[in-house]
Amino acid sequence: MAKARSHSAAGQMMGYLYQCELALLELARRSWEDITVEVRMELLDDIEFLHHETQDPLELLQSKYREAAGQLSETGKDFWRSVTSWIDSLKFSAGPSALPLPILRLVSTQVAKEGTFLRWLRSGPDRNVGLALARMEEVASDADGPDTTAEDRALFMALTSAQRQRLVTAMVVADGAPVMSDVDRSLAKELGITPSEHASAVLDEIKGWWYRMAVRLLERKDPAYKLASVKAEELLCRRDEALERYAGRSLPITETHRNLTEAEMAPYRNRLVVSQMQWIGLPDREIATHLRDYHYARAQRSEWIRSFKVTADGLDAYERDLHYEWESVFLRRTRRVDDGTDEATRQDIGQAVLDDTMEKVADKAARPGTSTAPWIGRGSVHDLCDRAEYVGSDRAMGWHPDHARLCKDHIEAADQ
C-alpha cells in the first residue's frame, strides 16, 4: 500500500519563525556593544545589521534551522546556498572593491564536523581562513560533488582568486546555535531579564512587539506601513517599558522646572494654549504658571523620545489616558450648561474643568509601572489643548464649555 504524501509545511514554517526570533536575539546581543545598531530582514539577506549613520550593512546573516540534530555538511545546501546569496547580494560580478565587506555569518543549529573548512571558519583562536579557502576550493571543484549544490559551487569557482579570498575572509560560521525551544532562555539572558515571577510575561510582551515590527520590516507594498529597520535602542526601550510595568521606577527628569522668563513666554502669547485659558477668564499670572508646565513637559517628552526612554506609541497611549480623564470631568461639569447659561457662569465652569483635570492627571504615569512628575501630566494636557485644532475629536480638549466653537473661530481668524 502506497504511503500518503505529506503536505506539511511545519518545517518550513519553523524556519521562518526561527529567522524572526533569531533576528531579535542577535539584535539584543549586539546592543551590549552598540545601542545604535539597526536590523532589517529579507532585503540583501535573511537578516542584516546596519551602521546607523551610513546605513551600510555591517553584517549579512543567513539563518539555517534544522529540528533534527546533526552535522553541518561541507557539500550541503545550507552552506553553499548561503555563499550564492552573499555573492548575489554583494554583486561580485561587478569586480573587487576597495571597501571592506560586511561580516558574512551563517547561523546554523547543526554542528560543523572536526577537520572541515566549516570549523576553520568559526570565530575564535582556531579560525584559519587560508586552510578554509583551500579546502572550499577543493570541495567546490569536485566533479563528484552533489548535484544539489553544483551551480552554487560553480558560481564560487567562477570568482577570481582575489575575490574568493576576500569573500571567505568575511565569512563566519556560527554553528550549534540555540534551537527554537532554547531561544527564549538566550533572549532573556541577552536582555538582562533575570528569573522572576514576571519574567515570562515581560518576554512575551517584548516578543509580541517584535513580531509586529517584523511584519512591518517585511512589508514591501504599503509605504505608510513598512519599516526600514529597527534600532537596538528601541528594543531596549521596549524592554524597559515591559520591566517597569512591574518595577514602579521613575522616568528620568532632565528638565529644570522653573518660572519662564518674559522672553521664553513671548512666543506663546498668540498660541491656542493661551487662548484656551483666556476664554475662561484666567488671570495672566495663573496662565504663566500653566505655561511653565506646558513648556517643560513638551521639552521633557521630546527628550524621552529622543533618548528612547519612551516610544511614540507609548506617548500616544499616555495622551489617550489624559484625554479620558479630561472628558470625564468635562462631561460632568458641563452637563447643566444650556442656551440660557450666561458667559460668566460658563467661564466659572471652565475654570472648574481645568482645576479638576489638573488634579486628576497629576498622578498619571507617562509609562505604565513608573511614577511621573506632576507637571508632566498637567503640561501634556495643555499641549493637547494647544493642538486641539488638528489632533482630532478623539484627542482634542479645552476648558470652556464652548471650546470646540471657539477653537473653530480661532482657526478662521488666524487664516484671515
Side-chain angles (χ1 to χ4, degrees), residues 149 183 240 246 311 325 332 398:
T149 59
V183 168
D240 292 345
Y246 306 99
T311 60
E325 298 296 346
R332 175 169 52 84

mmCIF file of all heavy atoms in Angstrom, residues 149 183 240 246 311 325 332 398:
data_model
loop_
_atom_site.group_PDB
_atom_site.id
_atom_site.type_symbol
_atom_site.label_atom_id
_atom_site.label_comp_id
_atom_site.label_asym_id
_atom_site.label_seq_id
_atom_site.Cartn_x
_atom_site.Cartn_y
_atom_site.Cartn_z
ATOM 1 N N THR A 149 24.116 21.139 -5.157
ATOM 2 C CA THR A 149 24.884 22.370 -4.926
ATOM 3 C C THR A 149 25.867 22.658 -6.060
ATOM 4 O O THR A 149 26.727 23.528 -5.927
ATOM 5 C CB THR A 149 25.668 22.273 -3.605
ATOM 6 O OG1 THR A 149 26.568 21.145 -3.662
ATOM 7 C CG2 THR A 149 24.731 22.125 -2.421
ATOM 8 N N VAL A 183 15.588 29.514 22.511
ATOM 9 C CA VAL A 183 15.773 30.915 22.146
ATOM 10 C C VAL A 183 15.324 31.843 23.268
ATOM 11 O O VAL A 183 15.995 32.829 23.581
ATOM 12 C CB VAL A 183 15.035 31.250 20.826
ATOM 13 C CG1 VAL A 183 14.980 32.756 20.600
ATOM 14 C CG2 VAL A 183 15.719 30.583 19.653
ATOM 15 N N ASP A 240 12.664 48.025 28.767
ATOM 16 C CA ASP A 240 12.485 48.818 29.985
ATOM 17 C C ASP A 240 11.011 49.053 30.281
ATOM 18 O O ASP A 240 10.578 48.998 31.439
ATOM 19 C CB ASP A 240 13.210 50.156 29.849
ATOM 20 C CG ASP A 240 14.723 50.003 29.830
ATOM 21 O OD1 ASP A 240 15.200 48.913 30.204
ATOM 22 O OD2 ASP A 240 15.413 50.953 29.436
ATOM 23 N N TYR A 246 6.247 46.287 36.142
ATOM 24 C CA TYR A 246 6.227 45.538 37.393
ATOM 25 C C TYR A 246 7.171 46.126 38.437
ATOM 26 O O TYR A 246 7.157 45.718 39.584
ATOM 27 C CB TYR A 246 6.638 44.089 37.125
ATOM 28 C CG TYR A 246 5.804 43.430 36.060
ATOM 29 C CD1 TYR A 246 6.262 43.328 34.742
ATOM 30 C CD2 TYR A 246 4.535 42.918 36.343
ATOM 31 C CE1 TYR A 246 5.486 42.734 33.757
ATOM 32 C CE2 TYR A 246 3.761 42.331 35.365
ATOM 33 C CZ TYR A 246 4.244 42.228 34.072
ATOM 34 O OH TYR A 246 3.489 41.648 33.093
ATOM 35 N N THR A 311 8.470 55.358 23.904
ATOM 36 C CA THR A 311 8.252 55.275 22.464
ATOM 37 C C THR A 311 7.104 56.194 22.051
ATOM 38 O O THR A 311 6.303 56.626 22.884
ATOM 39 C CB THR A 311 7.902 53.843 22.054
ATOM 40 O OG1 THR A 311 6.706 53.445 22.747
ATOM 41 C CG2 THR A 311 9.034 52.885 22.405
ATOM 42 N N GLU A 325 -9.362 61.238 31.151
ATOM 43 C CA GLU A 325 -9.561 61.914 32.437
ATOM 44 C C GLU A 325 -10.234 63.272 32.232
ATOM 45 O O GLU A 325 -11.142 63.653 32.982
ATOM 46 C CB GLU A 325 -8.219 62.089 33.159
ATOM 47 C CG GLU A 325 -7.520 60.792 33.517
ATOM 48 C CD GLU A 325 -8.308 59.949 34.508
ATOM 49 O OE1 GLU A 325 -9.267 60.473 35.124
ATOM 50 O OE2 GLU A 325 -7.986 58.766 34.673
ATOM 51 N N ARG A 332 -19.096 65.879 33.145
ATOM 52 C CA ARG A 332 -19.760 66.038 34.441
ATOM 53 C C ARG A 332 -20.000 67.516 34.761
ATOM 54 O O ARG A 332 -21.079 67.903 35.215
ATOM 55 C CB ARG A 332 -18.912 65.378 35.535
ATOM 56 C CG ARG A 332 -19.439 65.584 36.943
ATOM 57 C CD ARG A 332 -18.698 64.684 37.926
ATOM 58 N NE ARG A 332 -17.263 64.826 37.827
ATOM 59 C CZ ARG A 332 -16.558 65.785 38.444
ATOM 60 N NH1 ARG A 332 -17.183 66.697 39.174
ATOM 61 N NH2 ARG A 332 -15.248 65.831 38.323
ATOM 62 N N GLY A 398 -10.404 71.134 25.728
ATOM 63 C CA GLY A 398 -10.412 72.544 26.076
ATOM 64 C C GLY A 398 -11.141 72.733 27.378
ATOM 65 O O GLY A 398 -11.705 71.784 27.948
#
